[in-house]
Amino acid sequence: MDVNAARALGAAICMGIGSIAPAIGEGLAVCKTLESMARQPEIAGDLRTTMILGCAVTETTGIYSLVVALLLIFIGVN
Amino acid sequence: MELEVNGPKVFVRIDELYQMFAGTIADIFGNFGNLITQTTVSLFVVTALLMVLGYIASRKIEKRPGGLQVLVEKVLNMLYDLVEQTMGKHNLKFAPYIGTLFVSCMFGSLIGTTMIFRSTTADLSVTLAYALVTSVMVWYHNIKANGFIGWLKGFTEPIVVMTPMNLISEVAQPVAMAFRHFGNVAGGGVLTSLIYAALAVASKAIFSWLPAYLITFVPPFLQVGIPAFLSLYFDFFSAFVQAFVFCLLTMVYVAGACPPPAEEDNANI
């Protein structure tokens, strides 16, 4: 296999697999927050702030795979 | 499909300066590579812009406020409320730093939409510098509260076996913060340029029934308008949320190092 083809394939696999877990995690976080908001609407503002923070932290692994994919594509192109 | 994605362009390298100043600077500071890049220029532009904005907003403060003063007071009140909620009343002194961090992150991301300057936060050095400031603040306040030995002892909690894990998490914290902000802004930029290139191909593909010599004259008309909606998410929303998250994480970490004074008194008793 050509090196450039392997690089593109690696980036695609990295992004594809790497985005599964953060997506599930963020979905769960938002789901639970919505449940809590429906149960106790008076603390909705507090919950939203915490949810955004949690989502951002959960997203970190996805961002790592994005950075690795970008490195694979753009660094050291012959 | 033509696509060009670059890091920040380098305007002045240190070896050029080396020739200019007969080696004095490079002798003192060593060879630290690129000196003036696109990021440096945009950072100075953002700084100047914020200084001008601050001057305009604070130029005439009256007892009966005008429109601008009401807006600025509202924003400042929101900032102080947020800091008080997240860090507690005894940490209100951090509010100016958090506000500065927020506006410089946000304007740094948004200045990329001018297409003249490059987003400052799309450079890892900038976000890593912001994250390291947070780390240094956490260490300073930890050492101030517990003493140097107490700070070192904090790594062995809850049991000694956990020390390597604690050290790794201490290093991973600024790296994670920096990569999150950098990855979001840079990834958004890459995605936007990918879509621009794809739309150029698509607008030619629509007219593929034309003879080949006419297709070359078809302008990339699909590039008008459609990327604006994506830009609304990738530039404006993402810039706001990432700046907010960065400030929120800074507040949480620093507040963890600065416990409320009442608890300390109870612990001493």
Side-chain angles (χ1 to χ4, degrees):
Chain A
M1 196 190 285
D2 186 15
V3 176
N4 282 332
R7 189 188 277 137
L9 204 59
I13 292 172
C14 168
M15 211 50 237
I17 295 178
S19 56
I20 295 174
I24 294 175
E26 274 182 41
L28 281 177
V30 176
C31 160
K32 288 287 175 191
T33 316
L34 277 178
E35 277 178 17
S36 321
M37 274 181 184
R39 205 178 300 134
Q40 275 179 297
E42 63 270 16
I43 56 166
D46 237 10
L47 285 174
R48 196 176 298 123
T49 314
T50 318
M51 183 194 76
I52 291 175
L53 183 65
C55 277
V57 175
T58 316
E59 216 178 46
T60 309
T61 44
I63 298 294
Y64 285 163
S65 64
L66 172 69
V67 170
V68 171
L70 289 183
L71 288 179
L72 276 174
I73 297 174
F74 292 115
I75 302 295
V77 181
N78 301 320
Chain B
M1 195 159 111
E2 283 174 30
L3 177 64
E4 202 174 326
V5 177
N6 290 316
K9 286 193 187 70
V10 180
F11 293 136
V12 178
R13 278 190 66 89
I14 193 70
D15 38 2
E16 291 168 18
L17 271 188
Y18 190 90
Q19 289 159 2
M20 262 193 269
F21 292 103
T24 40
I25 292 178
D27 280 343
I28 297 169
F29 296 110
N31 185 16
F32 54 90
N34 310 329
L35 195 68
I36 299 176
T37 61
Q38 268 184 319
T39 310
T40 325
V41 175
S42 332
L43 263 176
F44 273 106
V45 170
V46 168
T47 314
L49 202 70
L50 287 176
M51 277 160 80
V52 169
L53 277 181
Y55 174 73
I56 291 174
S58 66
R59 191 174 40 183
K60 36 178 188 178
I61 297 174
E62 292 163 3
K63 205 153 193 177
R64 196 173 287 193
L68 182 66
Q69 195 183 337
V70 168
L71 188 74
V72 173
E73 280 180 5
K74 178 85 183 155
V75 170
L76 277 182
N77 268 335
M78 275 164 67
L79 169 71
Y80 274 82
D81 281 349
L82 182 71
V83 172
E84 194 180 330
Q85 260 182 23
T86 324
M87 301 177 80
K89 216 176 178 78
H90 59 287
N91 279 332
L92 265 184
K93 61 182 173 185
F94 289 114
Y97 172 67
I98 302 294
T100 313
L101 192 62
F102 181 77
V103 287
S104 48
C105 280
M106 180 131 164
F107 276 68
S109 307
L110 285 184
I111 205 163
T113 56
T114 58
M115 305 296 280
I116 304 167
F117 303 104
R118 202 184 134 83
S119 294
T120 60
T121 43
D123 190 342
L124 188 56
S125 2
V126 175
T127 50
L128 194 61
Y130 290 155
L132 280 178
V133 170
T134 304
S135 282
V136 168
M137 274 165 79
V138 169
W139 294 334
Y140 171 75
H141 287 286
N142 255 329
I143 292 174
K144 205 175 153 191
N146 306 323
F148 189 68
I149 304 293
W151 175 61
L152 288 180
K153 215 184 241 173
F155 287 117
T156 61
E157 283 169 358
I159 45 171
V160 186
V161 190
M162 290 291 283
T163 310
M165 302 295 271
N166 284 335
L167 284 175
I168 288 173
S169 76
E170 198 71 20
V171 175
Q173 172 192 314
V175 172
M177 275 173 87
F179 267 110
R180 183 179 308 121
H181 202 162
F182 160 75
N184 262 291
V185 178
V190 170
L191 220 57
T192 311
S193 39
L194 271 176
I195 286 162
Y196 260 107
L199 284 175
V201 174
S203 46
K204 283 202 196 309
I206 288 176
F207 287 97
S208 56
W209 45 269
L210 282 175
Y213 63 90
L214 275 178
I215 290 180
T216 48
F217 295 113
V218 173
F221 61 93
L222 280 178
Q223 282 183 350
V224 179
I226 296 174
F229 296 103
L230 293 157
S231 170
L232 212 60
Y233 177 80
F234 285 116
D235 292 325
F236 287 83
F237 180 73
S238 180
F240 174 75
V241 166
Q242 287 311 311
F244 182 65
V245 161
F246 199 88
C247 293
L248 214 57
L249 281 176
T250 302
M251 282 193 276
V252 169
Y253 288 142
V254 175
C258 302
E263 275 184 17
E264 278 182 1
D265 290 344
N266 288 338
N268 287 339
I269 292 166

